[in-house]
Amino acid sequence: MSFSLAIVGRPNVGKSTLFNRLVGKRLALVDDQPGVTRDLREGVGRLGDLRFTVIDTAGLEEATDESLQGRMRKLTERAVDMADICLFMIDARVGVTPTDEVFAEILRKRAKHVILAANKAEGAAADAGVLEAYALGLGEPLRLSAEHGEGMPDLYGTLQPLADAFAERAAEEAPETDVSLDEEVSDEADEALPEITSAKPLQIAVVGRPNAGKSTLINRILGEDRLLTGPEAGITRDAISVQLDWDGTPMRIFDTAGMRKRAKVQEKLEKLSVSDGLRAVKFAEVVVVLLDAAIPFEQQDLRIADLAEREGRAVVVAVNKWDVEEHKQEKLRDLKEAFDRLLPQLRGAPLVTVSARTGRGLDRLHAAVIKAWEVWNRRIPTGQLNRWLEGMISSHPPPAPQGRRIKLRYMTQAKTRPPGFVVMCSHPDKIPESYTRYLVNGLREGFDMPGTPIRLYMRGQGDKNPYKGRREKNAGALKKHLGRRKD
């Protein structure tokens, strides 16, 4: 990206709406209620031929203490310091407020480049507010309507000369690509794992109940206070993604809103936040389920872990706030016992103890995430699978419902991410679920795939028979005799 653009302004002036328009997706939550956005959200902005990083910020509040509003303001000020260009938005229908004047003065001192935009400027009702914006001393205001897309050509015309100035810097900082290799690559090389690169980083979602410490954990991994944290439960609303290099591995980590029981989620805004977190789980490759060491494996924790398994994601269970636990050995033994008993579908998945406050255990968490991702991508040769299947059948043959013996003919792996296997057999609809579980558990043990979701499909070969359904058995004379009696 050639430059970064931070959208700043009072609450409810339309920053998130403009952010969604620039990135071309509904990434940020939008609601009439002020103060919806609390964290910094980054996206790839597109405007004509310009490509840049756009940052959605929390509404600037006048609070400067350690309250929630004060911490939100500090994050926004940090985005102002980092960004190459600041787009200062006011509400043209409301006009310039004393709060706008205060923040205009802050931007004049701290921002490198400031663009003034009067949003909601469609119609004559906004004319007075646009004229008032000249008094802020930030130049001619742009008339925009983020909701309807008006004024985007004017914004492009303002950004274009600034983008040219940043283009040289972007060319100098660009990584080296298209490197020629002297050594020839063997055609018989084994199928390797997908390569994790900056262009395709490992996608991780951190999920859990409110106040489990998700944002604090990600801040500790980043080494800076990038996400808003505090003692209040439910601070995070959007599923915020941050990209980083964690111990040499390019990753994109999604911080999600705390998920409460469905019966307790009544407000519209919280419903939007939870649905945004569920969407992050679907985009992730590895899901870190973060538990509170004081109250682990609550009913909601089990539902969240089961959701990740049903979505087919690799799962790592992390127990946070381990630094305040007194009887660590006894607690760890109880945790492992409860994990195997309450989440049998994830038996063998990594269970890691961490402290987001002190940073202890993050190396083990990194190793567990990488191991879970490797197992999630594992591919097993068909020959090994069929030799394993013969051993499983000889140890425990499939049942014979109604005296009809079921034959398991052969097996192959159809997909990865998560591993999916197909068994060709006779009477697939007659195989009980208990025998399918027996085979899945055997796959976990036989090929070292603990904890990862495994999909096993039973298929028959009846559809390949061209004569199937042409004529019923013993249908000749008896059918004619019955036909005469009806006449």
Side-chain angles (χ1 to χ4, degrees):
M1 299 298 114
S2 57
F3 63 93
S4 57
L5 176 72
I7 307 173
V8 298
R10 289 186 297 105
N12 214 29
V13 296
K15 299 183 296 298
S16 295
T17 305
L18 180 61
F19 174 87
N20 287 342
R21 181 165 292 280
L22 290 176
V23 299
K25 301 175 185 176
R26 292 183 60 86
L27 292 182
L29 297 183
V30 176
D31 194 70
D32 293 336
Q33 176 182 338
V36 172
T37 303
R38 289 178 172 176
D39 279 293
L40 304 181
R41 176 188 281 279
E42 295 184 6
V44 179
R46 297 175 176 84
L47 194 59
D49 58 348
L50 297 181
R51 298 293 181 270
F52 52 93
T53 301
V54 58
I55 306 170
D56 185 22
T57 65
L60 283 162
E61 304 276 359
E62 293 192 69
T64 57
D65 54 8
E66 288 302 315
S67 64
L68 179 59
Q69 288 75 17
R71 298 197 302 275
M72 289 162 59
R73 171 173 172 157
K74 288 180 181 178
L75 270 182
T76 300
E77 289 176 346
R78 181 172 172 273
V80 170
D81 295 336
M82 291 169 48
D84 297 316
I85 304 171
C86 286
L87 182 67
F88 180 41
M89 293 184 70
I90 67 166
D91 189 336
R93 294 181 179 273
V94 175
V96 176
T97 66
T99 307
D100 290 326
E101 295 175 352
V102 171
F103 296 132
E105 185 65 29
I106 293 173
L107 290 174
R108 269 196 293 269
K109 294 177 180 178
R110 304 183 69 152
K112 305 177 183 73
H113 298 278
V114 181
I115 298 173
L116 178 60
N119 192 31
K120 307 180 186 179
E122 66 276 14
D127 291 346
V130 174
L131 292 174
E132 288 180 16
Y134 281 92
L136 293 173
L138 295 174
E140 182 180 355
L142 297 176
R143 292 189 67 135
L144 299 181
S145 174
E147 181 71 27
H148 301 99
E150 297 179 10
M152 292 299 112
D154 296 333
L155 179 58
Y156 172 84
T158 306
L159 290 175
Q160 180 65 56
L162 295 173
D164 293 339
F166 291 112
E168 295 181 6
R169 185 194 66 180
E172 293 175 358
E173 296 177 354
E176 185 180 4
T177 57
D178 297 331
V179 180
S180 300
L181 298 177
D182 296 331
E183 299 180 5
E184 295 184 359
V185 181
S186 173
D187 294 335
E188 298 180 357
D190 294 335
E191 186 175 353
L193 290 170
E195 186 179 0
I196 302 174
T197 63
S198 298
K200 292 186 177 180
L202 176 57
Q203 310 262 20
I204 301 173
V206 181
V207 299
R209 287 182 292 112
N211 218 25
K214 300 180 290 297
S215 300
T216 307
L217 175 67
I218 297 174
N219 280 342
R220 177 61 62 178
I221 294 172
L222 284 167
E224 57 180 338
D225 292 335
R226 168 66 174 75
L227 300 172
L228 187 63
T229 60
E232 304 91 347
I235 288 179
T236 302
R237 283 176 172 168
D238 292 274
I240 303 298
S241 69
V242 292
Q243 192 158 341
L244 70 152
D245 192 87
W246 186 11
D247 290 348
T249 307
M251 295 186 180
R252 180 180 287 113
I253 303 182
F254 292 86
D255 181 25
T256 62
M259 300 180 187
R260 298 195 297 165
K261 292 181 179 178
R262 183 178 297 179
K264 293 185 178 181
V265 179
Q266 301 294 336
E267 295 183 5
K268 172 189 173 185
L269 193 55
E270 187 173 359
K271 290 180 180 178
L272 290 172
S273 300
V274 172
S275 65
D276 206 28
L278 297 178
R279 188 172 61 126
V281 170
K282 295 178 181 179
F283 277 104
E285 298 171 288
V286 181
V287 175
V288 177
V289 181
L290 196 64
L291 312 181
D292 189 333
I295 44 173
F297 294 115
E298 291 282 300
Q299 193 67 32
Q300 186 64 359
D301 294 325
L302 303 180
R303 288 197 180 99
I304 294 170
D306 183 62
L307 165 72
E309 193 276 336
R310 282 188 282 110
E311 289 292 340
R313 303 298 177 258
V315 178
V316 175
V317 178
V319 184
N320 191 25
K321 306 179 184 179
W322 197 247
D323 53 313
V324 298
E325 186 61 42
E326 295 181 0
H327 308 289
K328 290 182 169 57
Q329 295 298 327
E330 294 84 352
K331 184 76 171 183
L332 184 59
R333 184 180 62 247
D334 295 341
L335 284 172
K336 290 181 178 178
E337 184 274 330
F339 185 26
D340 292 340
R341 176 169 48 85
L342 297 173
L343 290 170
Q345 68 272 38
L346 291 173
R347 183 173 290 122
L351 177 67
V352 184
T353 57
V354 297
S355 171
R357 188 173 65 86
T358 64
R360 296 195 62 179
L362 293 187
D363 53 342
R364 296 194 303 272
L365 179 60
H366 177 271
V369 166
I370 297 298
K371 177 68 183 301
W373 178 80
E374 289 175 350
V375 173
W376 193 61
N377 283 278
R378 182 164 297 166
R379 184 164 187 82
I380 304 170
T382 302
Q384 291 184 25
L385 278 174
N386 284 286
R387 287 191 294 272
W388 168 86
L389 182 62
E390 289 177 7
M392 295 294 287
I393 295 173
S394 61
S395 299
H396 183 51
Q402 300 176 350
R404 306 175 72 177
R405 190 163 66 91
I406 297 174
K407 294 181 181 179
L408 303 184
R409 294 187 171 90
Y410 67 90
M411 181 178 187
T412 186
Q413 184 171 0
K415 59 188 277 299
T416 59
R417 303 164 69 89
F421 303 89
V422 174
V423 178
M424 302 303 294
C425 60
S426 61
H427 313 297
D429 54 324
K430 305 291 185 184
I431 298 179
E433 189 177 339
S434 58
Y435 197 78
T436 302
R437 283 199 305 270
Y438 162 72
L439 294 177
V440 169
N441 292 333
L443 282 168
R444 293 190 194 282
E445 296 176 6
F447 297 102
D448 190 24
M449 294 192 293
T452 193
I454 292 178
R455 304 292 185 249
L456 187 63
Y457 307 97
M458 299 291 181
R459 287 186 187 166
Q461 294 178 304
D463 295 338
K464 296 182 179 180
N465 184 358
Y467 299 100
K468 183 180 179 182
R470 285 261 185 111
R471 182 179 176 183
E472 297 178 12
K473 246 182 178 182
N474 303 325
L478 179 60
K479 200 166 187 180
K480 292 177 183 177
H481 176 68
L482 292 175
R484 283 197 205 98
R485 290 188 60 183
K486 286 181 182 177
D487 294 339

